[in-house]
Amino acid sequence: MNIPGTAAAVTGTHKNELMLFFTLLELTLIIVAGRIGGALAKRGGQSTSVGEIIIGIALGPSLFGLLAPHTFDYVFHSAPPEPLTILSNLGLVLLMFQIGLEFDFAHLTERVNRAAVLRVSTACLALPFACGFILGLFVAENASPAARINTALFVATAFSITAVPILGRIMMELNLTRTRLGVIAISSAAVNDVVGWLLLALVTTLTVSDFVAGRFALRVALVAAFGCASMMVVRPLLKKAIRSSRPRDGKMSANLLGGLLAVIFIAAMTTYQIGIFAIFGGFMMGVILYDEAELVAAWRVRLGDFVTVFFLPIYFTYTGLRTSIGGLEGWGDWGLCLGIVAAASLAKLGGGYLAARRSGLNHPESAIIAYMMNTRGLMELIVINVGLDLGVISPKIFTMLVIMAIVSTVITTPALRYYMPRAGLAPSGVGVEGAAGGTGQQTRG
């Protein structure tokens, strides 16, 4: 139903202006609420991302829509959702580039670290996927056999995901980005997510009865080709352009910034066409430029805060608008929700911990890896939004998976603050002695 005086109810010359008005109204509320949520989360010892996720859900029907339904409809249902959707996805692309820049991937030149990444990423995919598939069959018990399989596959994929954007922001806030443990975790999470996107693409095509084995194999080959081309062709060209522009003292030329944005967007479009989502293209462009220290500093000054303050909270709110905590009724629903949270968390924590121990890391280091890999947040929300759009998961299961994503993200920062000193890391993230096997000294810079 169109609300009188809204963009949906108006035609003619004023429609665009009215749509802009309501989009600006939404953005104003989202940005202010996001800053408040982030500040409260930091005061509680949490990452700002946790506060933004929770405040996004509070702005949805779970709280705002419940307490003031008419105002809620006026603010969020007076204009089409497309402007906010596009802005949120654009912000994710830029954030993933920013995260790729922040990590010192030189640690991966050591074979022991590459082996650790392979073990951790594999364990954190296989065990959660198996647990999620079994649980997915259970929650879809009243559906047809085909629908049960589709639901189980989506829940399994959701269990397998690690949220690289949220994990990256948590690491940046704790100054873990230049440490060995940080690089192992973010690299494992990146591998985890690429495979997760391929799984999502596979599950989606199976769901809509559009799966062709040759087409899927081609998609995997194109992902590998994109990675090779980024490292062997794009990286040398970008480094040459950066040397010519010479960013200094947190400043870069307008030409360099414009060219960099164009490259990021082209990479994002490429990975979208491949079928692993646009955000991976942004991340890859950051990864190939991680060792350009002056560029990293200039990006932080020019765009860093704008990306995290303006763009990112929009996506959390978009997901919050689709989440209704009040949809869970009775002890049965809440018991199932608790089971989903426990199964998803234990599978990730167990897989990550055992794989890290197998790689020679000591107990606190392995615990840090496990908790970082259990951070789902944003990527989880993307997967379950796809499942909801396809009708594979019900709104009730969607809400349970959102709660699981929040809980698995909320526990990360307190756990890292507890284990960091025990792993030889000062709370500030400055490396000290204490790693296992002689290879674990954490370094910054």
Side-chain angles (χ1 to χ4, degrees), residues 21-83:
F21 170 83
F22 282 108
T23 300
L24 292 175
L25 175 61
E26 293 170 339
L27 288 174
T28 301
L29 181 59
I30 289 169
I31 292 170
V32 173
R35 297 316 302 157
I36 293 172
L40 291 175
K42 292 197 74 172
R43 291 191 65 177
Q46 283 288 346
S47 165
T48 55
S49 301
V50 171
E52 290 165 350
I53 291 174
I54 294 175
I55 208 73
I57 292 176
L59 287 177
S62 298
L63 184 60
F64 185 25
L66 184 65
L67 298 178
H70 296 294
T71 307
F72 172 77
D73 285 337
Y74 180 77
V75 174
F76 289 110
H77 292 162
S78 295
E82 285 78 11

Side-chain angles (χ1 to χ4, degrees), residues 183-230:
V183 170
I184 290 174
I186 202 69
S187 301
S188 300
V191 172
N192 197 301
D193 275 3
V194 170
V195 177
W197 297 137
L198 291 171
L199 282 174
L200 181 60
L202 174 61
V203 171
T204 302
T205 54
L206 287 172
T207 301
V208 298
S209 301
D210 192 31
F211 176 72
V212 178
R215 189 185 304 163
F216 183 73
L218 176 62
R219 180 172 292 172
V220 174
L222 288 174
V223 171
F226 173 77
C228 292
S230 298

Side-chain angles (χ1 to χ4, degrees), residues 20 43 52 192 196 240 341 348 378 406:
L20 175 61
R43 291 191 65 177
E52 290 165 350
N192 197 301
K240 183 177 180 180
V341 172
K348 275 283 187 182
L378 192 61
I406 294 172

Side-chain angles (χ1 to χ4, degrees), residues 120-146:
V120 170
S121 59
T122 301
C124 288
L125 270 169
L127 187 57
F129 189 90
C131 291
F133 187 82
I134 294 171
L135 190 59
L137 289 175
F138 172 75
V139 300
E141 61 182 351
N142 295 325
S144 67

Side-chain angles (χ1 to χ4, degrees), residues 52 61 143 180 191 233 243 381 404:
E52 290 165 350
R180 178 192 177 215
V191 172
V233 179
R243 284 194 298 269
L381 302 182
M404 181 268 284

Side-chain angles (χ1 to χ4, degrees), residues 49 52-53 56-57 166 312-320 378 381:
S49 301
E52 290 165 350
I53 291 174
I57 292 176
I166 302 300
L312 194 58
I314 300 172
Y315 189 85
F316 297 138
T317 303
Y318 172 70
T319 299
L378 192 61
L381 302 182

